[in-house]
Amino acid sequence: MTESVTAGDPPRGTDQRLAKGARARASIARRAADVASVEGLNGVSIGRLATDLGLSKSGIATLFGSKESLQLAAVKSARQVFIDEVITPSLSEPAGLPRLCALVERWIGQVVQPAFPGGCFRVATLAEFDSRPGPVRDAIAEDRRDWLAFLVEQIRRAQEQGHLGGRAADAVAFELDAVIGAAHTARQMGDESGVATARAVVADLLATSG
């Protein structure tokens, strides 16, 4: 299918510039997320990213305008990576326990083979901003709320099929989040047994008997 260019359409060159700008923003935001996973979001700066990516400071400043905008872009980029690597592939599994188990296994997979050099972005940044009010904290908190709400929904679907007993779904989600977060911290500190321990705890939490 092809589309003709009408008088109201932007020139093709404009489209290409917009696409190039979008690609540049995405590349910079992803690098910002990489840096934040190791050094925290406060380690993200226009100068640091310009050096890392071989870009001009003015170019990055034009695209983002401020350090806070860069931090927010990093949060958004990390959220999309988690969706792409954990949530979306798991949606091919049947709703209920199979999908929940796939989600959790891929989630643990982000501990074993993290998408970011500093491990789980969410774990790395939550503690940094949990007591700092502002747009960045709000974005981190919203991402966490959305993920836990989605997880609760999957747990409830499994319970509707007779799995996981009568435990409160939000309590199970909270425990899963705590256990996998602890596994991430253990692995980052060199305790490889933490992942095995987490898997055992998770298996118990997801016990299929009613």
Side-chain angles (χ1 to χ4, degrees):
M1 180 182 296
T2 61
E3 296 180 357
S4 61
V5 177
T6 68
D9 290 328
R12 191 170 300 276
T14 300
D15 289 342
Q16 292 173 347
R17 286 194 297 272
L18 290 173
K20 183 178 180 181
R23 288 193 297 270
R25 284 183 62 88
S27 175
I28 294 166
R30 176 54 196 263
R31 179 55 189 163
D34 286 343
V35 171
S37 73
V38 177
E39 301 178 17
L41 281 164
N42 277 325
V44 173
S45 70
I46 291 174
R48 166 66 186 274
L49 295 177
T51 299
D52 288 354
L53 297 172
L55 301 173
S56 68
K57 292 182 181 180
S58 60
I60 295 177
T62 298
L63 288 171
F64 292 95
S66 69
K67 178 174 180 173
E68 183 177 272
S69 293
L70 269 174
Q71 292 171 328
L72 290 170
V75 173
K76 184 176 180 180
S77 178
R79 174 188 174 100
Q80 190 60 51
V81 168
F82 190 82
I83 290 171
D84 291 344
E85 299 202 3
V86 176
I87 296 177
T88 300
S90 301
L91 296 179
S92 62
E93 297 293 333
L97 190 64
R99 183 175 297 171
L100 176 61
C101 288
L103 280 167
V104 173
E105 182 56 35
R106 289 183 178 277
W107 190 8
I108 294 175
Q110 288 296 296
V111 175
V112 178
Q113 293 184 310
F116 299 98
C120 176
F121 180 91
R122 188 180 290 113
V123 173
T125 57
L126 273 171
E128 183 186 8
F129 274 84
D130 61 1
S131 59
R132 297 183 184 184
V136 177
R137 181 185 186 277
D138 292 345
I140 294 170
E142 181 182 12
D143 176 58
R144 182 174 185 273
R145 283 194 303 268
D146 288 349
W147 164 237
L148 290 178
F150 180 77
L151 193 60
V152 166
E153 179 185 350
Q154 306 313 308
I155 293 167
R156 285 177 177 156
R157 289 189 180 186
Q159 290 176 324
E160 289 168 359
Q161 297 173 358
H163 304 295
L164 305 180
R167 289 173 288 174
D170 56 349
V172 176
F174 186 89
E175 291 175 64
L176 288 169
D177 184 58
V179 169
I180 296 175
H184 164 269
T185 300
R187 191 173 189 278
Q188 291 300 109
M189 295 299 292
D191 180 7
E192 297 294 336
S193 67
V195 174
T197 301
R199 287 189 187 279
V201 175
V202 165
D204 184 58
L205 286 172
L206 299 183
T208 59
S209 58

